[in-house]
């Protein structure tokens, strides 16, 4: 599940529908993605854009960006089994990928290849803490990255 700044709740079902639950508790389909074999992972990004991923039977799974109007675009198709998802205020997307016994935390930035931030066994989730740092969880432990992960400087000619 994920919340928009206005309190709207988003939740996905295994059939591939992302539902929007408004403040008046009215439920309506918001977007459609491929069906999942497990729960959807959702995170709200800047400008009230929703990010989503879910495991499928495919070889690779995708990270999607869903606009406020419900338009779905693919952000990345480079993940084997994405397990967790978080988006910071700069629009950087953090994805925990776990496949074939290995796992890592990756950062996605527009126009850049995915970047491995942390490698560890059995990672399953990621969240932003109130200070802007990251908390990454495994099947039995939560790790806080005390120093907020900052973007690399962008140099323009």
């Amino acid at each position: 599940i994920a919340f928009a700044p206005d309190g709207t709740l988003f939740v996905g079902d295994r059939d591939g529908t992302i539902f929007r639950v408004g403040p008046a508790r009215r439920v309506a389909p918001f977007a459609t993605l491929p069906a999942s074999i497990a729960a959807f992972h959702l995170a709200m990004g800047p400008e009230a854009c929703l990010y989503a991923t879910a495991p499928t039977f495919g070889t690779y799974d995708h990270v999607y960006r869903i606009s406020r109007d419900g338009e779905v675009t693919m952000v990345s198709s480079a993940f084997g089994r994405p397990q967790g998802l978080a988006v910071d205020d700069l629009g950087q997307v953090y994805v925990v990928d776990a496949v074939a016994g290995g796992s890592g935390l990756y950062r996605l930035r527009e126009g850049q290849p995915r970047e491995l931030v942390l490698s560890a066994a059995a990672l399953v989730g990621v969240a932003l803490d109130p200070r802007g740092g990251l908390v990454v969880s495994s099947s039995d432990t939560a790790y806080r990255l005390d120093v907020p992960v900052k973007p690399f400087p962008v140099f323009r000619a």
Side-chain angles (χ1 to χ4, degrees):
I1 64 174
F3 285 94
D6 69 358
T8 301
L9 169 68
F10 294 91
V11 62
D13 72 6
R14 288 185 179 182
D15 291 333
T17 302
I18 305 292
F19 292 96
R20 176 177 36 209
V21 183
R25 298 181 182 165
R26 178 171 284 160
V27 178
F30 177 63
T32 303
L33 301 175
S36 175
I37 60 172
F40 277 86
H41 304 280
L42 303 174
M44 187 58 59
E47 301 177 16
C49 290
L50 184 67
Y51 289 80
T53 188
T56 66
F57 287 113
T59 305
Y60 293 97
D61 287 317
H62 311 292
V63 176
Y64 301 95
R65 180 181 181 272
I66 307 168
S67 73
R68 287 185 277 179
D69 299 327
E71 181 181 336
V72 177
T73 56
M74 189 184 315
V75 174
S76 175
S77 61
F79 294 98
R81 199 59 78 225
Q83 299 292 316
L85 184 65
V87 184
D88 68 15
D89 291 341
L90 300 173
Q92 299 178 115
V93 180
Y94 295 90
V95 181
V96 169
D97 191 25
V99 66
S103 62
L105 174 66
Y106 293 86
R107 176 170 45 190
L108 300 175
R109 293 177 292 150
E110 192 169 342
Q112 303 287 326
R114 73 180 187 159
E115 171 190 9
L116 180 63
V117 174
L118 176 71
S119 179
L123 295 179
V124 293
V126 59
L128 293 165
D129 74 15
R131 299 180 322 218
L134 291 171
V135 176
V136 182
S137 65
S138 71
S139 55
D140 62 3
T141 306
Y143 304 93
R144 179 186 304 268
L145 302 179
D146 287 329
V147 178
V149 179
K150 299 198 184 270
F152 291 107
V154 176
F155 299 99
R156 293 197 166 96

